[in-house]
């Protein structure tokens, strides 16, 4: 990129031209840079791709998305196979990432021949990293391509490293080995897209299949239509787990309060606030982060204008009958949607999340009047963020109901833990 020259007085200002999307296909360079950014900056794939949106066309974006998601899902196994073919010196940095991209293509892109992928990758690496690197990559990829079928079999089984070791240690605090194996396997799959529709919204049969919860629908149409429905005011993309939690918590709370006043304490981007408001709850919505509060305000303005945004803790309603803490968490339960999260967060991050969760629970419990309800949810399956957190907060005896929802259970959903607690009257 040329540096922009300072403007000279009296000269015509330069015309500003919008960046032209890069149309080279497949966009290997961009994929490499996005992978580097995700791992170096701890950034989600969605955010990293957004940064590149003016440098990729739609086809390129879809390619990068697919390669990165597949890589992060199968990274444990892909690293094993790369290391087996590089016995003398394990590749690192740029060269490993170049291998990742090519291996994903060889094993998962059935419409391109392995010979073409190896040939194009070697050319690319020669230009990018020099002859020595390209020679090494050539030798490595040829062996992998020759054993393609057995590696595909390998990745279809319970290969070691589906989950990072520290995840398994966390899960073992409560779950048995077969439960963890089931979750690990399911975490490699593609999740269903679920919608929640407002009462009266038209749900054409070619796009929507009714789900198990009132006004829940799974999506069976094309991606282009999905985006346009997601933007409509009477529709919300919301996983079945959240819909189940909303419906079942509401059912319990309604036994005591017919139109409960709720403080949704960690509300951005606003999915639960909107759905609860559609169900007749009087919602006050807050989020600690100003930028996220703006996105919350935008969502509710479009979809549920009755929701009241609270900008500061001083303005919390005085005696809310119900507080919902949808706490910030590791996201271990939504790994099918965000497989990169397996490799971004670490035990230290978890420690700081546990601290925030405990504080949010304690403070919310204190704000409740006698007989009030507290719902605590996390999109995580780590017991330390779920059942053990309620125990750590000293509130287990007040649990009215608890939920563990997961992708490998009978009703397959995102992984969530939820607890409904009631303060004694
Ligand atoms: C899991 S997300 C909430 C998702 C939201 N309930 C929904 O259904 O769309 C957690 C949110 O908690 C917010 N958060 C983090 N720390 C917080 C705190 N101390 N108080 C309130 N919100 C907090 C984050 O900004 C984030 O938006």
């Amino acid at each position: 990129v040329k540096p922009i020259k300072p403007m000279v007085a009296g000269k015509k200002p330069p015309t500003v031209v919008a960046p032209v999307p890069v149309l080279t296909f497949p966009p290997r360079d961009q994929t490499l840079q996005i992978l580097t950014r995700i791992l170096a900056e701890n950034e989600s794939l969605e955010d990293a791709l957004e940064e590149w949106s003016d440098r990729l066309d739609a086809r390129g974006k879809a390619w990068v998305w697919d390669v990165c998601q597949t890589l992060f899902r199968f990274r444990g196994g892909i690293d094993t196979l790369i290391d087996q073919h590089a016995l003398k010196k394990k590749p690192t940095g740029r060269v490993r990432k170049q291998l990742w991209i090519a291996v994903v293509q060889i094993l998962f892109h059935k419409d391109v021949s392995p010979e073409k992928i190896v040939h194009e990758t070697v050319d690319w690496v020669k230009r990018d990293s020099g002859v020595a690197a390209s020679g090494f990559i050539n030798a490595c990829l040829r062996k992998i391509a020759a054993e393609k079928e057995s590696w595909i079999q390998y990745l279809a089984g319970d290969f070691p490293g589906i989950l990072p070791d520290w995840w398994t240690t966390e899960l073992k605090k409560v779950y048995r080995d077969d439960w963890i194996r089931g979750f690990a396997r399911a975490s490699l799959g593609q999740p269903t897209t679920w919608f929640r529709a407002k009462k009266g919204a038209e749900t054409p049969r070619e796009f929507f299949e009714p789900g198990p919860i009132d006004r829940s629908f799974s999506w069976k149409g094309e991606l282009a239509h999905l985006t346009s429905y997601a933007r409509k005011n009477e529709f919300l993309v919301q996983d079945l787990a959240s819909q189940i939690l909303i419906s079942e918590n509401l059912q319990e709370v309604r036994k005591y309060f017919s139109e409960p006043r709720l403080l949704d304490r960690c509300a951005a981007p606003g999915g639960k606030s909107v759905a609860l408001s559609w169900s007749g709850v009087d919602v006050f919505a807050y989020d600690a982060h100003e930028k996220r509060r703006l996105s919350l305000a935008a969502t509710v303005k479009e979809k549920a204008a009755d929701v009241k945004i609270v900008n500061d803790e001083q303005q919390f309603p005085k005696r809310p009958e119900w507080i919902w803490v949808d706490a910030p968490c590791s996201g271990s339960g939504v790994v099918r949607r965000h497989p990169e999260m397996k490799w971004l967060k670490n035990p230290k991050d978890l420690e700081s999340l546990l601290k925030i969760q405990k504080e949010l629970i304690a403070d919310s419990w204190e704000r409740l009047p006698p007989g009030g309800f507290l719902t605590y949810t996390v999109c995580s399956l780590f017991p330390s963020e779920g059942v053990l957190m309620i125990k750590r907060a000293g509130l287990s005896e007040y649990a009215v109901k608890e939920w563990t929802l997961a992708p490998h259970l009978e009703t397959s959903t995102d992984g969530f833990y939820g607890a409904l607690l009631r303060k004694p009257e």
Side-chain angles (χ1 to χ4, degrees), residues 133-153:
S134 74
F136 168 76
I137 281 196
N138 186 24
C140 217
L141 289 182
R142 279 184 195 288
K143 284 187 253 168
I144 293 168
E147 296 164 4
K148 176 180 164 176
E149 291 311 321
S150 57
W151 284 117
I152 290 175
Q153 287 284 318

Side-chain angles (χ1 to χ4, degrees), residues 7 28-29 43 78 86 89 109 133 172 182 292 311 313 406:
M7 238 204 298
R28 292 191 172 90
D29 275 319
E43 194 172 53
I78 289 175
K89 189 167 179 267
H109 291 188
K172 275 190 173 168
R292 290 180 62 85
N311 285 311
E313 295 194 4

Side-chain angles (χ1 to χ4, degrees), residues 37-44 341 343-346 349:
R37 187 178 168 125
I38 291 171
L39 294 170
E41 312 280 327
N42 262 348
E43 194 172 53
S44 73
M341 289 306 161
W343 316 109
L344 300 189
K345 294 225 163 78
N346 60 44
D349 299 321

